[in-house]
Amino acid sequence: HITPDLLEETQKISGVADRCPVICEDFVRWVVEDKFPSGRPHWDAVLNGGCLFVQDAAPFCEMQSKVFHGAGQAICYLGLLRGYRRVKDAVADHIVNDFLGKYLAVVLEHAITAPEGFDLESYKEEVYERLQGSDQELYALALNGTHQIETCCMGCLPAFPKMDTAAVKPLVLLLCFWLRYIAVAEDENDMPLEHAPDDRLEDIAPLAQVLWRNAVKTSKGEGGETLRRPPPREDAKAFISHAFPRAELGPTVLVEVMASQIVALRANDITTFITTVARL
């Protein structure tokens, strides 16, 4: 947000009375395919090492999507449910930070092939540093969240071991937090949550609410007796399939794990669920 104090600070730093400054992070990197028929431009000198000339930019695009933008989705909904509104505040929370670490660990292990000579561990540290210094609003990360999750997170699913619960669970928990954000629209302190604009929200919200409503361990029978209910597998499958029609669910435990985890999430507060029940 542009405030008088920000305008004054900007003028002191730059010496320019800019009434509409554009605020950005202190990070620059261009990845450019080295295919210049008339000679390479000297962008590497201008950007102080922030320009990489490579033969194939595709692996770098994949890392940007699945690691950096995927990390944003991983902290977005858990951060909002924990009561935060800005990225750096969410990442400073040890519960959010720990979840982010576990999410990135499985993505980097299974879903990313590093370009030759590229250090993934250093890249992960760089992602952390960028998020820790980001003043971006979490709602900005939730903008068109269905598409963001499908592209940056569900895109990792085919690379995960097919029947490995441990590998798929961080992604499942991200989906559970997202579903709760859609279906309940309150954080764990019972403060209202707005829904960021999402082209798919109107379509998927009813399915999210059905899944959340049926995510209970027991119900009352006609005679008042307590009946145990199985995890809502069909509701989970319907929600995931409708939200991500292009997702390759195939032989994976994602639906089964989500059905059980959403029941546990509904039965517990966020903190208890992620620190005790989910057992990442």
Side-chain angles (χ1 to χ4, degrees):
H1 299 290
I2 297 176
T3 64
D5 289 343
L6 177 60
L7 295 176
E8 182 179 348
E9 181 182 359
T10 302
Q11 183 172 354
K12 287 180 180 178
I13 295 172
S14 66
V16 177
D18 189 343
R19 308 308 297 173
C20 189
V22 176
I23 308 301
C24 64
E25 64 174 323
D26 186 21
F27 177 86
V28 176
R29 173 174 294 135
W30 291 0
V31 177
V32 183
E33 291 189 347
D34 196 1
K35 300 173 182 178
F36 298 95
S38 301
R40 176 196 290 178
H42 297 291
W43 291 335
D44 47 345
V46 175
L47 294 173
N48 297 319
C51 182
L52 297 178
F53 290 103
V54 300
Q55 290 302 308
D56 183 9
F60 294 89
C61 293
E62 183 179 52
M63 287 193 303
Q64 174 78 357
S65 174
K66 293 181 178 179
V67 181
F68 183 70
H69 293 302
Q73 295 303 300
I75 67 174
C76 175
Y77 304 100
L78 177 56
L80 287 170
L81 294 176
R82 292 277 292 159
Y84 301 107
R85 295 297 179 266
R86 295 195 177 274
V87 171
K88 64 183 181 182
D89 297 327
V91 178
D93 180 283
H94 74 281
I95 290 176
V96 177
N97 195 291
D98 185 59
F99 173 65
L100 174 60
K102 290 180 170 61
Y103 178 82
L104 287 180
V106 295
V107 170
L108 290 170
E109 180 179 358
H110 299 295
I112 296 296
T113 301
E116 185 177 353
F118 195 83
D119 185 355
L120 282 181
E121 189 62 30
S122 296
Y123 180 64
K124 183 177 75 171
E125 293 175 3
E126 179 182 273
V127 168
Y128 267 95
E129 290 177 4
R130 292 178 65 184
L131 294 173
Q132 288 167 344
S134 175
D135 201 40
Q136 187 177 26
E137 292 188 3
L138 291 172
Y139 280 119
L141 299 181
L143 185 66
N144 285 321
T146 308
H147 173 73
Q148 295 292 336
I149 293 174
E150 182 171 38
T151 302
C152 306
C153 306
M154 292 297 287
C156 298
L157 184 61
F160 291 163
K162 299 305 179 186
M163 306 304 288
D164 189 333
T165 298
V168 80
K169 187 177 277 189
L171 173 59
V172 166
L173 297 193
L174 186 159
L175 296 174
C176 288
F177 298 140
W178 175 55
L179 181 133
R180 188 192 183 285
Y181 154 84
I182 294 172
V184 181
E186 289 182 348
D187 64 23
E188 67 174 349
N189 302 311
D190 299 324
M191 297 298 292
L193 287 174
E194 300 176 6
H195 284 144
D198 187 330
D199 293 341
R200 300 291 314 286
L201 185 62
E202 187 175 340
D203 292 334
I204 64 174
L207 291 171
Q209 290 160 357
V210 168
L211 175 53
W212 185 258
R213 184 169 61 248
N214 291 336
V216 292
K217 293 181 179 180
T218 61
S219 61
K220 292 294 183 182
E222 293 182 0
E225 70 277 18
T226 299
L227 303 175
R228 285 193 62 83
R229 296 184 57 170
R233 183 187 184 281
E234 292 305 315
D235 294 325
K237 184 177 181 179
F239 173 72
I240 293 297
S241 299
H242 195 75
F244 312 118
R246 293 177 294 177
E248 299 178 25
L249 295 181
T252 175
V253 293
L254 182 138
V255 169
E256 286 75 9
V257 177
M258 184 173 182
S260 63
Q261 291 301 306
I262 203 68
V263 172
L265 176 58
R266 183 170 178 188
N268 295 275
D269 61 81
I270 300 292
T271 303
T272 302
F273 170 73
I274 199 167
T275 57
T276 305
V277 180
R279 297 177 183 176
L280 273 179

